[in-house]
Amino acid sequence: MKPKYTRLRGVRDILPEELIHWRDVELKAREIFRRYNYKEIETPIIEPAEIFIRTVGEETDIVRKEMYIFKDRGDRLVALRPEGTAPVVRAFLENKLYTPGKVSKFYYIGDMFRYDRPQAGRQREFHQIGIEALGEASYILDVEVISLLLSFLNELGLKNITLLLNSVGCPNCRTVYSSALREFFASRVEMLCEDCKERLGRNPLRILDCKVDTCRDIAGDAPSIMDYLCEDCKEHFDKVKEALTSAGIPYILDNRLVRGLDYYTKTAFEVKAEGFDFSIGGGGRYDGLVKELGGPDIPGIGFAIGMERLLEVLEGSGLLLSKMEVPDYFIAYEPDLVRDAIIFAERLRSRGFTVEISYTSKALKSQLREADRSKSRKAVIIKNELWINNRVILKDMTTGEQQEVESIKLEVCKFE
RNA sequence: GUGAAUGUAGCUCAACUUGGUCAGAGCGCUGGACUGUGGAUCCAGAUGUUGGGGGUUCGAGUCCCCUCAUUCACCCCA
C-alpha cells in the first residue's frame, strides 16, 4: 500500500525507538542545567518575523532565503523560528524578567525551522538544546558557558570533542576589520570563486571559511581579526583564553570561525566531534542583542546544540544504549475468562506493572505467539480449573519455565 | 537556489552493459507438521498498478522526455 499522504520535505517523524534516545539526551541536559542553575523557558514556535530580521541580520542567508515566513490572517508578517536566541530575549523583555545586577539564565529544548535543502545533518525542522545567559559581561560567564557545554558532551560519553574558539569583536572593531578584509580581497578579486566575489560585497568575513582551495590560500594571507580587536574586546578575549587554560579546558584558536548570525560579539565558539564534518553546536556572546530588541543595554551569551547532529555523533560512537521497555506480563486466557482476564490485567497495571493482554481470545498457541512477539518477560495463563482456586500459570518467556502461583502473589510481589 | 545519484513486495535488494518465461530472493507475515503452550526446524501460502505521467516499440523496471520524492554535495548552518 502506497501512503496517500507523506511528510513534507525536510521534516521527519521521530519514531518510538529513536525517541528513547532523545529523551535520554534531554534528561542529561536538564540535569546539567540544574547544576549550573539554568531555568527552562519555552517560547512560541511562531514569532513576529521582525525579531529575527532585526537580530539575525538582513544580509544573512537565514533571513534572505531560509525563513519560513508568511502573513497570517490578520496580515501580520510571522515566521517559524529559525533560531532560539531572539525569542528568548523577546520573552525576557516582554515579561520584564530583568533586574539590575542579576544574571538571568535560561535553557530551552525545541524545534527550529529553516527552509534549506535537506542533506546529511540538516533538516528543515531540526531540534536544538540551547541556553541563554543575560545580564553579565564578565569573561567568567563565557568560561562557565563553555564549560557547561563541554561537561554536557563529556557526560554523554563523548571523547574527542574539540572546542574551536574565536573572537568576532564588537560592532566597532569588526567594522574596521571588515573593511580591511574587503580591501585585502578586493585587490585579489579575480582569483576568488564566484561565491566569494558575492561575499566580498555582502560579508567579507565569510570568505575566510570558503572551501575552495584558491580562496583558502588567499585567505591564509588575509589580515587576522586579532590585530584589529579593540582594547576591550582584546582584553576580554585574553581573559577567556587564560581562564580556559587554567581550568584545563583545551581549545583550538580558529580565526576563521565566523558565526552565521549578525548579533554575535566577542567570544564565538563551536564544538566538533572527531570524524564528523559538521559542528554539533555553537554559540557566543551577543552583547548588543537585547538593546537591538528594544531593551536595556545588557549583555548576553548562549549556545545551541543541534539535537539531530548530536544524536548522529552519539550513534556513530556507539553511545546509544537504551532499549525500548518491554511488558512485564502478557495475559493469555481461555476464551470464557475474558472478563476476568481484563480485570486481572487492570489490577496488575494499578500495581505499576506494564501489562499486555491478548485482544483476540484466540487459541492459546496464538496467544502465546502474541506474548512472544510483544517481548513480554512473563506470560500469565488463566485457565478455568486453576482460576477457580485463584491460581494462574506463570511462564517465564526467556527460559520457558512455568509454575502455578496464586494470582494475588503477582499483585503484591515486586517484579523479579 | 545549483549540481549529481537513486526510486522494484512491509523491510533489504536481484532482474546487468544486450528491450521479449522478468516480476524474483532473503527477512518478515499467515497457516500446517505440533490434536489448548511462544521461540528452533521443515513444508505451504499471500503480497507489487516496478514513484507518477507521457513517448518510442509488435513488446519497457529495462530506452527517451516531464514530474514528484529520497540521498549526497554546494550555498549556508544546528
Side-chain angles (χ1 to χ4, degrees), chain A residues 48-226:
Chain A
E50 184 67 15
I51 71 168
F52 302 112
I53 298 169
R54 284 290 289 272
T55 59
V56 172
E58 279 187 72
E59 291 300 310
T60 60
D61 277 33
I62 290 177
V63 168
R64 284 173 57 233
K65 54 180 205 183
E66 292 171 6
M67 274 226 284
Y68 273 90
I69 188 167
F70 52 92
K71 285 200 168 165
D72 70 7
R73 289 171 189 274
D75 220 31
R76 286 169 285 259
L77 198 56
V78 301
L80 263 35
R81 62 184 180 196
E83 61 100 36
T85 302
V88 169
V89 172
R90 192 228 79 230
F92 173 74
L93 292 173
E94 185 169 347
N95 296 287
K96 301 183 171 55
L97 301 179
Y98 48 89
T99 40
K102 178 179 174 293
V103 197
S104 300
K105 303 199 277 192
F106 306 102
Y107 77 89
Y108 60 87
I109 299 176
D111 46 354
M112 309 293 161
F113 297 83
R114 287 181 204 172
Y115 196 86
D116 258 356
R117 285 284 287 273
Q119 67 181 70
R122 178 155 27 147
Q123 292 291 315
R124 288 185 174 178
E125 181 190 21
F126 59 100
H127 296 71
Q128 289 189 332
I129 297 178
I131 68 166
E132 315 292 348
L134 301 162
E136 179 54 66
S138 166
Y139 73 97
I140 299 172
L141 181 59
D142 299 40
V143 174
E144 184 184 276
V145 164
I146 289 169
S147 172
L148 188 168
L149 173 59
L150 293 172
S151 303
F152 174 54
L153 298 174
N154 183 46
E155 291 189 27
L156 284 169
L158 287 172
K159 314 292 177 208
N160 302 323
I161 294 288
T162 49
L163 170 66
L164 302 176
L165 193 69
N166 194 19
S167 173
V168 295
C170 60
N172 293 330
C173 48
R174 186 161 56 212
T175 308
V176 177
Y177 177 58
S178 187
S179 39
L181 271 185
R182 193 168 279 131
E183 198 176 315
F184 172 83
F185 285 117
S187 63
R188 297 161 175 78
V189 64
E190 68 286 347
M191 296 170 69
L192 295 172
C193 70
E194 286 310 306
D195 287 329
C196 282
K197 285 175 183 159
E198 172 81 12
R199 291 176 180 121
L200 187 56
R202 202 181 298 283
N203 185 353
L205 275 72
R206 289 245 149 268
I207 302 176
L208 295 177
D209 64 354
C210 181
K211 283 165 190 147
V212 176
D213 285 341
T214 53
C215 297
R216 292 188 78 105
D217 290 344
I218 298 170
D221 300 327
S224 164
I225 190 163
M226 289 307 134

